[in-house]
Amino acid sequence: PIRIRGPGGCGKIHDEIMKEIGEVSPSMKSISKINIGRTNVSVSRFGFGGVFIGDPDEITTDDQAQATLAAAYDGGVRYFDTAPWYGNTKSEHRLGQFLRNKPRQDFAISTKVGRVYSRPADEADFKANSPWAKRWLGGLPFELRFDYTYDGVMRSYEDSLARLGLARVDCLAVHDLDPRHQKSEAGVAAALDQLEQGRGFAALRELKEQGEIGAIGAGINEVGMISRFVERFEMDYFLIASPYNLLEQTALAEDLPLCEEHGIGVVLGAVFASGILASGWRAGAKFRYQAADTAILERVREIDLICQRHGVPLTAAALQFPLHHGAVNCIIPGANHPDQVTANLAAYTTAIPDDLWRELKQQGHLPLEAPTPG
């Protein structure tokens, strides 16, 4: 996410950028829509990711969070993604506070299952020692457990509805069933068994058959997990958080073709590679949620210089690149300030010459087979 600073404050900047994007009416802008995979769930191709209103690295006031969501909605965004994990339930509370005052037919929302929250036995000890508390600088004081069983999925779903203040969500995704979060291959196998033998996926299927949700998905952080889901479950979409962006295309070889083959949609998170494609090649810039090493910083510097030669902001190339792949339905960049939203919307509509993509391929920064215009 990017911040724009200048005279007149964020309200003036928001208005100026929105004029450039174009208005449908004084209060509503238009972003093209698409159905997720083969479902009837319609989403705006530019969505909103709710990670940063969960306060991972800085404290955001409730007023600022609501202003951020308003900037997205006024900019034409009609798809919002969140999860109980973001801020230990804070993101769901904030998103629900905003969306439940909007016409329900006008937006789509997704949240996730796999973590069940409860009050910690000792709140002070939780805040001081729990890794879940330390992950979110401004997170709420609730303890979690992973649970992919039937009861766990249903409990998570009902709790999310209560936090959001909504009677239904459009999409429900299995969250963080991967080696990084389950700590080992044995942990992944056990969680997959909970989802299958413990009937967690049966719960998702029931919700879809009853019309309570329109799409079943899974959040994926690493290559190789998509095939494991596809061989066991009938999936509607995957939310891919890292392996396909301007800096990394490891999902291009197998995961994305597999989605195309099975008619499975892709929602793309982490279009900025968790930060560095927005902040640029500065010390401390984040790549895959860690400080980027020297080699990554140099790659981003070279990509940025190529973008500059073609008069294109790095952020514009980062936002638009993944949408050229046929499997990718939409992107969901996150934000925690209105200026970030308006800047990203402007970058999303920036014209990019075909020669930029050609040079990125010629210089080895994109695979030749990566889908791009021209």
Side-chain angles (χ1 to χ4, degrees), residues 150-303:
Y150 182 98
D151 289 344
V153 166
M154 287 300 195
R155 164 73 185 274
S156 178
Y157 168 67
E158 293 287 352
D159 285 353
S160 287
L161 294 184
R163 287 187 288 263
L164 291 165
L166 298 173
R168 63 181 177 86
V169 294
D170 300 279
C171 311
L172 204 53
V174 177
H175 203 193
D176 290 339
L177 200 166
D178 57 39
R180 176 183 165 202
H181 292 87
Q182 304 307 317
K183 305 303 183 185
S184 67
E185 172 54 33
V188 171
L192 284 170
D193 284 344
Q194 280 192 347
L195 200 58
E196 188 171 29
Q197 307 302 327
R199 303 188 67 247
F201 196 82
L204 293 169
R205 193 165 50 241
E206 282 183 18
L207 291 172
K208 185 180 177 183
E209 289 171 352
Q210 293 165 3
E212 295 199 39
I213 62 174
I216 299 171
I220 298 296
N221 299 294
E222 304 171 20
V223 292
M225 284 305 303
I226 284 179
S227 60
R228 298 179 72 172
F229 271 91
V230 169
E231 63 191 23
R232 289 198 188 203
F233 309 111
E234 187 175 349
M235 306 299 300
D236 294 315
Y237 77 101
F238 288 102
L239 198 169
I240 298 180
S242 293
Y244 195 66
N245 53 59
L246 192 63
L247 196 54
E248 180 180 6
Q249 301 87 39
T250 50
L252 189 60
E254 296 182 8
D255 286 4
L256 292 177
L258 189 61
C259 289
E260 283 192 297
E261 178 186 346
H262 290 269
I264 297 170
V266 171
V267 174
L268 203 71
V271 289
F272 293 131
S274 77
I276 194 168
L277 293 176
S279 65
W281 43 283
R282 59 172 177 76
K286 295 289 184 66
F287 172 64
R288 277 187 164 265
Y289 311 104
Q290 305 292 328
D293 62 25
T294 303
I296 292 295
L297 289 172
E298 178 59 21
R299 275 198 63 205
V300 174
R301 185 186 74 84
E302 292 173 1
I303 292 171

Side-chain angles (χ1 to χ4, degrees), residues 36-75:
I36 290 182
R38 293 174 176 169
T39 74
N40 292 322
V41 178
S42 177
V43 298
S44 53
R45 296 211 75 193
F46 185 109
F48 182 92
V51 173
F52 293 103
I53 59 171
D55 294 356
D57 303 309
E58 61 179 294
I59 304 296
T60 304
T61 66
D62 286 338
D63 286 345
Q64 182 172 313
Q66 294 303 302
T68 302
L69 292 165
Y73 197 88
D74 290 346

